[in-house]
Amino acid sequence: MPVQTGSRFPYPEFKARYDIPPQQPVHWQWSQLAQGLGDVEHPERGTLALSLPDGSAEVLRDVAVGYQVVPAGEHTGPHAHSWYHLSVVQTGTGTVTFDESGETVELNPGDILLVPAWSLHRFTNPTSQDLVLLNLMNIPLLARLGNLEVVQQQESAP
């Protein structure tokens, strides 16, 4: 690959390239979101992501927001990933197990849970109602840095 020659420009122009316009208020109606949750598949680590009117999935600077549904009677495999998620339990009940410590925490509507980056965890829903989590995640930042990674652990036999 040949070495290229760079250029220059005045500092005020450089600074202006990074001026970010103020964010505008946005409203998502729960009734529409809930209907959307019922209309799609529920992969292990997420069901729907919120977007801004312009289609951007970065709802706040460096933060994405999405819904994760653990269907009734199901569970996720144990996994860890490079992003955190701050979860708010919307509906349903279940548990989260942090595999490194073996600790299991019960989840109920209104609970808030922080799963730090690289924390090996899994969700379980033994009930007859879907467990719905609203997740705030720093995925946009990690994507820009080229650091999105997931490690799926093998489940041990019962």
Side-chain angles (χ1 to χ4, degrees):
M1 173 182 342
V3 174
Q4 299 178 10
T5 302
S7 62
R8 57 188 163 79
F9 53 94
Y11 184 83
E13 184 182 328
F14 160 76
K15 179 72 174 72
R17 291 182 185 193
Y18 297 97
D19 287 343
I20 298 170
Q23 194 163 20
Q24 300 297 311
V26 180
H27 173 236
W28 293 269
Q29 291 183 325
W30 172 244
S31 60
Q32 292 178 348
L33 294 171
Q35 179 182 354
L37 289 174
D39 295 341
V40 296
E41 295 289 323
H42 302 300
E44 255 191 34
R45 280 180 281 289
T47 299
L48 288 179
L50 301 185
S51 70
L52 295 176
D54 67 3
S56 170
E58 186 175 14
V59 174
L60 299 170
R61 184 173 177 87
D62 299 328
V63 176
V65 179
Y67 281 93
Q68 178 176 6
V69 175
V70 182
E74 294 189 19
H75 62 87
T76 66
H79 63 281
H81 35 70
S82 57
W83 60 92
Y84 66 77
H85 46 92
L86 182 65
S87 302
V88 179
V89 179
Q90 293 291 114
T91 61
T93 60
T95 62
V96 61
T97 300
F98 293 95
D99 290 291
E100 288 145 349
S101 68
E103 186 173 1
T104 296
V105 176
E106 296 213 13
L107 300 173
N108 295 291
D111 287 357
I112 300 172
L113 170 71
L114 173 64
V115 177
W118 296 118
S119 178
L120 186 61
H121 63 285
R122 56 193 151 104
F123 292 100
T124 302
N125 180 1
T127 73
S128 60
Q129 180 184 8
D130 289 347
L131 172 63
V132 180
L133 306 168
L134 173 67
N135 294 328
L136 284 76
M137 306 158 285
N138 61 334
I139 288 176
L141 173 64
L142 294 174
R144 275 196 288 281
L145 296 173
N147 288 327
L148 279 181
E149 294 184 47
V150 175
V151 177
Q152 185 79 28
Q153 298 290 316
Q154 294 294 327
E155 291 192 65
S156 55

